[in-house]
Amino acid sequence: MDQPKGTVVLAYSGGLDTSCILVWLKEQGYGVIAYLANIGQKEDFEAARKKAVALGAKKVYIEDVSREFVEEFIWPAVQANALYEDRYLLGTALARPCIARKLVEIAQREGAQYVAHGATGKGNDQVRFELTCYALCPKIKVIAPWRLPEFYQQFPGRPELMDYAKKHGIPVPVTPQTPWSMDENLMHISYEAGILENPKVIDHSVPPALQPRGWGRLCVCSLIGNFTAGWPCRPPQPLRLVNRPWRVPVKVTNTGDGATRHSALELFVYLNDIAGKHGVGRIDIVENRFVGMKSRGIYETPAGTILYHAHLDIEAFTMDREVRKIKQGLALKFSELVYNGFWHSPECEFLRHCIRRSQEPVVGTVRLAVFKGQVYILGRESPRSLYNEELV
C-alpha cells in the first residue's frame, strides 16, 4: 500500500463499480468515506451501509435528498417543459447535480481534499458530477478512476472487475449473465449497456429482472415496427392537478376514489404509482451524449410524463403567445445545459430565473386521464386564463 494520501469522499452506490473503487482507493493509500444518496431508489440502505463498512470505509453517510430533488430540481424542469432532443425528460441529468451537491457538502464537513465517483470515461455522468463539484468548491480535487490509466489498464472490462471483486470478497449484484446497467431515482429508471448496446435488440427480450417495476412492456407484433401495448387493461384514471401560487404542482386528486396528495414528495410518488400502473412514460431512444457519441437508453418516467403534459396544457391556456415563443427557446437551451451537466453554471441559473418569471400567470387546474401508456388531457380552468369563451 502507498503512503497515506488523505481522505476522499466517494459517491457510493453499492454496485460493482463503486464497491471495487472503494477497495481500490484504499489500496492506493486513501482514507475513504462512502456517501450514498437516497434519491428515491428502492434499496436496502442499511445493508449498503454494512457493506461499505465491511469493505473498509472509515465512515458512511446515507443522505435522504429525495424531497429537495423534487422541489429544487424536478419542479424547475417541469416549469421549463424540459425535454432533451424532443424525448428525454432528464431523469438522471437532474439527479446528478443534486447528488453531487451533497457530496461536496460532506467533503467540506469532513475536511476532505478529494471526492471520487464511479462514472465511466464514456458517459455523461462524469461531467455532471465534476462540473457540480468544481462549481460549488473550485479547490476540490476529483478522482475519476475510470479515466486513470492505472485503473482502466487493470480493469479493461467488467470481467476483470468481477474477478477483482471475487478476489477481495466483494459481494456484487452483477454477474457475467446480467451485464447491464440500471439507474433508479424518483424521476425515472434508466437501462443501458450490456446487450442493450446493440440498438436492434428489442428491450422486452431482455430478462424480466431488467424491469423490476413492470412499467410499460411492449408486445411487438410485426417486423416493421407496429406494436400493441401489453399493459393491464385498466379503465382511464381521471386526475386533477392544481398549481400553487409559485407555479408548481400543489395538489393531485384522483377523481375516482377521492385520494388527494399535497406535499411535493407525496404528490410525485403518488403520480409515479398511478402512471406506472398504466405504463405511462416509457421510451427507448438513441441520444447524443455530451462527450461526442450516440448511446441507447431505455427510460421509464411515469410522474414526470404526466406533469410534462399537464404543465404544457395549463401554460398554453394562460401564457401570452409571444412570451411562450421566447420561453420555448429558453426551454431548449435549459434542457441542453442540464443534460450536459451545467446546472450550477451562471447561464443555467439565469435561465431558471427567466423561466420562473415566465410562470407568473401559469396557475390553475388540469383534469387528465392515464390509460394504456397515454396521458389524455380532459379539461382545464384558471383564474388567469387568456381563453375568451364568449369570443370563440
Side-chain angles (χ1 to χ4, degrees):
M1 181 181 293
D2 295 339
Q3 293 300 312
K5 295 179 179 177
T7 298
V8 56
V9 182
L10 170 66
Y12 172 79
S13 69
L16 174 65
D17 290 28
T18 56
S19 295
C20 291
I21 286 172
L22 193 161
V23 175
W24 185 84
L25 287 169
K26 282 189 61 198
E27 289 181 338
Q28 306 310 303
Y30 295 98
V32 182
I33 294 174
Y35 152 59
L36 176 58
N38 175 359
I39 202 158
Q41 71 272 36
K42 292 179 175 64
E43 186 163 345
D44 186 337
F45 292 101
E46 187 54 36
R49 180 195 300 277
K50 291 178 180 177
K51 179 178 177 180
V53 171
L55 295 178
K58 64 179 187 179
K59 190 178 290 188
V60 180
Y61 282 88
I62 297 178
E63 300 286 325
D64 188 343
V65 295
S66 51
R67 182 188 58 79
E68 57 207 78
F69 179 42
V70 174
E71 295 181 352
E72 300 177 37
F73 293 87
I74 294 177
W75 281 172
V78 170
Q79 289 183 328
N81 300 324
L83 205 59
Y84 179 70
E85 294 189 337
D86 304 316
R87 292 189 286 178
Y88 175 39
L89 285 165
L90 298 167
T92 301
L94 290 166
R96 295 312 187 224
C98 181
I99 295 170
R101 185 174 69 178
K102 186 65 71 172
L103 178 69
V104 171
E105 180 185 314
I106 292 170
Q108 292 175 326
R109 190 187 313 168
E110 291 289 338
Q113 187 181 3
Y114 305 95
V115 294
H117 61 77
T120 71
K122 289 184 178 180
N124 296 303
D125 285 340
Q126 57 177 335
V127 181
R128 295 164 181 161
F129 275 122
E130 292 174 32
L131 286 179
T132 295
C133 292
Y134 291 136
L136 299 179
C137 185
K139 294 182 179 180
I140 202 78
K141 295 180 180 178
V142 178
I143 300 173
W146 281 115
R147 293 205 308 271
L148 298 175
E150 59 268 34
F151 186 86
Y152 66 70
Q153 288 173 3
Q154 183 179 354
F155 307 109
R158 284 189 167 244
E160 291 79 10
L161 212 56
M162 286 185 276
D163 288 343
Y164 180 84
K166 184 177 180 180
K167 177 182 176 182
H168 289 80
I170 303 171
V172 291
V174 178
T175 69
Q177 289 73 39
T178 57
W180 52 66
S181 173
M182 184 186 86
D183 182 70
E184 179 184 10
N185 60 50
L186 270 173
M187 183 69 163
H188 80 175
I189 290 183
S190 67
Y191 308 97
E192 62 181 14
I195 60 177
L196 297 177
E197 287 175 349
N198 180 347
K200 295 184 294 184
V201 169
I202 299 171
D203 58 45
H204 77 271
S205 67
V206 174
L210 189 64
Q211 300 175 335
R213 290 184 182 174
W215 289 336
R217 298 182 183 174
L218 301 182
C219 176
V220 175
C221 54
S222 88
L223 295 179
I224 60 173
N226 297 323
F227 63 85
T228 58
W231 306 296
C233 186
R234 302 171 185 271
Q237 188 112 24
L239 302 169
R240 289 172 64 88
L241 280 169
V242 182
N243 276 4
R244 70 172 72 190
W246 53 289
R247 310 335 184 210
V248 297
V250 63
K251 182 173 70 172
V252 59
T253 300
N254 186 325
T255 58
D257 60 15
T260 298
R261 301 292 187 276
H262 291 273
S263 76
L265 186 56
E266 287 182 349
L267 184 155
F268 201 84
V269 169
Y270 182 68
L271 287 179
N272 262 340
D273 180 58
I274 292 292
K277 289 176 180 176
H278 288 267
V280 168
R282 190 166 190 278
I283 60 172
D284 181 335
I285 66 173
V286 172
E287 68 202 50
N288 289 294
R289 287 181 178 173
F290 181 49
V291 295
M293 59 186 289
K294 291 184 184 291
S295 65
R296 189 234 191 133
I298 298 168
Y299 302 106
E300 296 175 346
T301 317
T305 301
I306 283 184
L307 291 168
Y308 173 82
H309 288 288
H311 180 265
L312 198 62
D313 187 78
I314 199 69
E315 188 175 82
F317 193 50
T318 57
M319 185 177 285
D320 174 80
R321 178 184 66 185
E322 299 304 317
V323 172
R324 190 161 184 266
K325 287 179 183 177
I326 296 171
K327 193 254 180 179
Q328 285 175 304
L330 298 180
L332 189 66
K333 185 63 177 177
F334 173 82
S335 302
E336 180 183 303
L337 288 172
V338 172
Y339 184 86
N340 292 340
F342 288 84
W343 180 273
H344 291 287
S345 67
E347 61 269 37
C348 195
E349 290 179 1
F350 172 73
L351 281 179
R352 290 200 299 275
H353 174 78
C354 293
I355 291 168
R356 189 164 55 246
R357 174 66 178 80
S358 77
Q359 298 300 290
E360 182 181 341
V362 184
V363 59
T365 302
V366 179
R367 187 180 179 114
L368 55 87
V370 291
F371 184 52
K372 289 191 174 182
Q374 299 297 318
V375 178
Y376 298 94
I377 302 295
L378 306 179
R380 77 288 295 157
E381 59 182 323
S382 170
R384 300 292 297 271
S385 166
L386 298 180
Y387 182 89
N388 188 325
E389 186 176 356
E390 182 180 352
L391 180 64
V392 299

